[in-house]
Amino acid sequence: MNYKLFANRKILIVSKHKKEQVIAPLLEIFGLESVLSTQFDTDLLGTFSGEISRKDDAVTTLRKKCQLAMEVEGFDLAIASEGSFGNHPSVFFAAADDELVMLLDKKNNLEIIGRELSLETNFDEAIITTEAELEAFVNKIQFPSHAVMVRPAKKDFSYQKKGVTNWEDLEYEFQYIKKEFGSCYIETDMRALHNPTRMQVIAKATENLVEKMKSCCSICETPGFTVTEAVKGLRCSLCNLPTKSTLKYVLECQKCHHQEEQKFPNGIEKEDPMYCDYCNP
């Protein structure tokens, strides 16, 4: 394993929500000294509450986080994370947390991304008009270990309280917003420092990143030698025709563009006929 690109270097952790708690320990294996960003405000690129919309996709936003923070604070190596919440792409009607963690190395022109798509999330929102509805909502989202945000409506930011973690404060805010605005919108506070469940998903995404950092090109030894393409065509065990299941992965080096194939990545050389469009149309 080629750790010399990272050894004895400082890496800037671009976060204002205590993500360094799970990211920094995982980077120690490379001999990196983690330094928390203090001068760059990541909220400028978007907030979870919505008052500042994220203008770019998650990867572009991550790249901007790293680049801008490095420019402001004088680093050539940075790491940041970005999360998205919504319906799971394949498990219908289930909420999902999609976390990306990017390492950007300006010195070596290297970009490595780790990812974790998880069903482990308390992401939720509601319009509430009664204390019973309020209590029912917080009971299902692991309150008070997981904080909530409250405001008059989803798109109304004229009054907002974030990071609410005790019942007395929440009840007061609910009564005030209901009296002043007629109804109250509540949502889970998905900022990592207020959401232990999300923090653990970020840790898993960082673990995925670390494994990619450990994976080096067999030709030039550059880290980040990872899968760039999944090729379909695993053959059916009954008719021997190609199916839509993955036959192989293609791994490519960012630096020298050397490629290697990894056949049968799921551990099977033939697919079950139930997944064959010919045998099971």
Side-chain angles (χ1 to χ4, degrees), residues 123-130 133-141 143 146-154 160-161 164 167 170-171 173-174 177 183-189:
F123 174 70
D124 206 350
E125 60 185 353
I127 294 290
I128 53 173
T129 56
T130 67
E133 292 173 346
L134 178 65
E135 188 170 357
F137 182 88
V138 299
N139 283 342
K140 67 178 181 178
I141 57 93
F143 183 85
H146 293 60
V148 295
M149 302 180 181
V150 286
R151 55 183 180 270
K154 186 169 185 175
Q160 179 172 228
K161 286 295 180 180
V164 182
W167 176 255
L170 179 58
E171 188 176 28
E173 295 296 341
F174 164 68
I177 293 172
S183 66
C184 180
Y185 170 83
I186 186 170
E187 67 177 346
T188 45
D189 192 333

Side-chain angles (χ1 to χ4, degrees), residues 1-170:
M1 298 179 186
N2 182 11
Y3 292 174
K4 64 184 179 182
L5 290 185
F6 306 122
N8 302 314
R9 293 176 65 189
K10 292 183 178 181
I11 184 168
L12 185 67
I13 300 180
V14 188
S15 173
K16 59 184 293 183
H17 298 147
K18 299 186 178 180
K19 297 173 187 175
E20 70 278 2
Q21 294 177 354
V22 294
I23 293 175
L26 295 170
L27 300 178
E28 292 176 356
I29 187 175
F30 300 103
L32 286 165
E33 179 186 345
S34 296
V35 179
L36 180 63
S37 172
T38 58
Q39 300 177 47
F40 180 69
D41 184 359
T42 57
D43 281 352
L44 295 173
L45 299 177
T47 59
F48 278 115
S49 50
E51 65 266 41
I52 301 176
S53 299
R54 191 174 73 184
K55 296 179 180 179
D56 302 299
D57 61 81
V59 173
T60 302
T61 301
L62 266 179
R63 193 175 294 122
K64 284 184 176 180
K65 274 186 183 181
C66 291
Q67 290 173 338
L68 293 172
M70 284 191 291
E71 289 175 9
V72 170
E73 306 199 34
F75 280 71
D76 60 11
L77 184 63
I79 188 170
S81 85
E82 186 74 11
S84 300
F85 301 89
N87 292 330
H88 192 279
S90 58
V91 183
F92 300 120
F93 306 113
D97 177 6
D98 192 0
E99 294 290 343
L100 300 178
V101 179
M102 176 185 287
L103 178 138
L104 194 62
D105 186 347
K106 186 165 60 175
K107 179 181 178 181
N108 295 293
N109 193 28
L110 189 63
E111 178 182 290
I112 307 175
I113 299 175
R115 184 189 184 195
E116 179 71 16
L117 178 63
S118 177
L119 288 168
E120 295 298 320
T121 178
N122 70 330
F123 174 70
D124 206 350
E125 60 185 353
I127 294 290
I128 53 173
T129 56
T130 67
E131 280 199 20
E133 292 173 346
L134 178 65
E135 188 170 357
F137 182 88
V138 299
N139 283 342
K140 67 178 181 178
I141 57 93
Q142 303 178 64
F143 183 85
S145 64
H146 293 60
V148 295
M149 302 180 181
V150 286
R151 55 183 180 270
K154 186 169 185 175
K155 300 296 184 180
D156 185 351
F157 302 102
S158 58
Y159 181 86
Q160 179 172 228
K161 286 295 180 180
K162 302 179 182 181
V164 182
T165 56
N166 69 74
W167 176 255
E168 290 77 15
D169 289 346
L170 179 58

